[in-house]
Amino acid sequence: MAVDYTVIVVYLAGMLAMGWWGMRRARSKSDFLVAGRRLGPAMYSGTMAAIVLGGASTIGGVGLGYQYGLSGAWMVFTIGLGLLALSVFFSARIARLKVYTVSEMLDLRYGGRAGVISGVVMWAYTLMLAVTSTIAYATIFDVLFDMNRTVAIVLGGSIVVAYSTLGGMWSITLTDMVQFVVKTIGVLLLLLPIAVVKAGGFSGMKAKLPTSYFDPLGIGGETIFTYVLIYTFGMLIGQDIWQRVFTARSDRTARYGGTVAGTYCLAYALAGAVIGTAAKVMYPGLGSPDDAFATIVKDELPIGVRGLVLAAALAAVMSTSSGALIACATVANNDIWSRLRGLTRRSGEDHDEVGGNRAFILIMGVAVIGTAIALNNVVEALTVAYNLLVAGLLVPILGGLLWKRGTVQGALASVIVGGLAVIGLMAGYGILANEPVYYGLLASLAAYVAVSLATRPTDETVLATWRERLAGRNPELASEPVPAHQ
């Protein structure tokens, strides 16, 4: 294992070095939070693919393939579909807004007053996303070094917090590019063909497994629908995803670079399902489907290659963890803390705000590591996060982009009713049930439409400013406080 350990250690040291290098480029708030809005197509595509394909997509995707066969690809496939929909239909407009957070977009569209409540919901989502990604370090380091769970979480989490705090989005972008390359080589070019060959090829796999393993819909229609509702729509509105859209150099970069990343996700989804199916042939009696990835890597790959593939798993976890962490800190500082203190953004303050945002990443990072140590059920935590996100924020965000008649009162009612409904329904039906997000989303939609129609239309001055920003004009307004209208 010495060669494998060397590969892993060099990889982790490289991540810290990238963080240090990124610190030299993060000289303003724009640099620190959105990489100066200067990423070209290649870097944008790589970083976007890196953040959406995390530990759940890699280890969990292989586990679903082990359990259900090729239809296990649907979870990651719906993530790719969501990224494609975001890129084709919304990313250009989002990039032209020149904001930093989803809540700032809501304030701009509705005329203020929606930021804090929507910020709290988004903060809870990004926090739990960062926590679940951090917990995944325990699985990987256990395979590598037979390490204690708490030590593994602290080690992996500390590295991510270190490079994220140093250089913000520039450091995360640079590390994500490395992670994208490592994942592509480790999972697609090495693990996939080796697993298929070891399982006897596709003909051998078909001979040894039930036909349901090769049914595209074998996982079940209701499960696929739930994946679409949670992950496809979740991709459209998550702060962690939008913050990457804000890094694009142009709206063209956001649209086409995101389309490339979404297409890559579809290929990654199929690869994970095939690897999991191959693992089922080789190890039919594993205690947990999520053990499939680590088992096939540990037992079937040659020295050196094994270290690279495990580095790919680490890359998958780190990219999602760092993206969720900076999103969580950005929302906490800009949408909650600053608003509660009554602060507004003014021109020329960007450089002075770097220290504050860096401090919030460090604080949120410590909170994430502590929560990850205390929490055991990753699936439940992630389900709560996505249910709150979709039921609370999907309607007011898409409504603001698509429906002129939506009002700030309707948006607030939608967030509150949808959020409370999904919490109550999870208490009644169970956290992992499908009904909470179904009914919570319907309640959110009903509240949005009813309250918007019952209240005065949004002030025309606010809508005029909104249209100007959507068209990419008057970008200097990004540095001015958003006016509040009745």
Side-chain angles (χ1 to χ4, degrees), residues 199-210 214 281:
F202 285 103
S203 58
M205 292 159 62
K206 285 185 177 181
K208 296 177 181 178
L209 294 174
F214 302 92
V281 173

Side-chain angles (χ1 to χ4, degrees), residues 304-315:
V305 173
R306 179 170 50 201
L308 184 59
V309 173
L310 286 171
L314 270 177

Side-chain angles (χ1 to χ4, degrees), residues 404-415:
K404 178 182 176 180
R405 188 60 181 82
T407 66
V408 65
Q409 293 88 350
L412 287 171
S414 178
V415 174

Side-chain angles (χ1 to χ4, degrees), residues 69 178 275 295 324 349 404:
V178 175
I275 293 168
T295 302
E349 285 188 346
K404 178 182 176 180

Side-chain angles (χ1 to χ4, degrees), residues 62 146 189 287 377 426 463 466:
V62 172
D146 192 23
L189 301 183
N377 198 315
M426 283 190 293
L463 290 178
W466 169 254

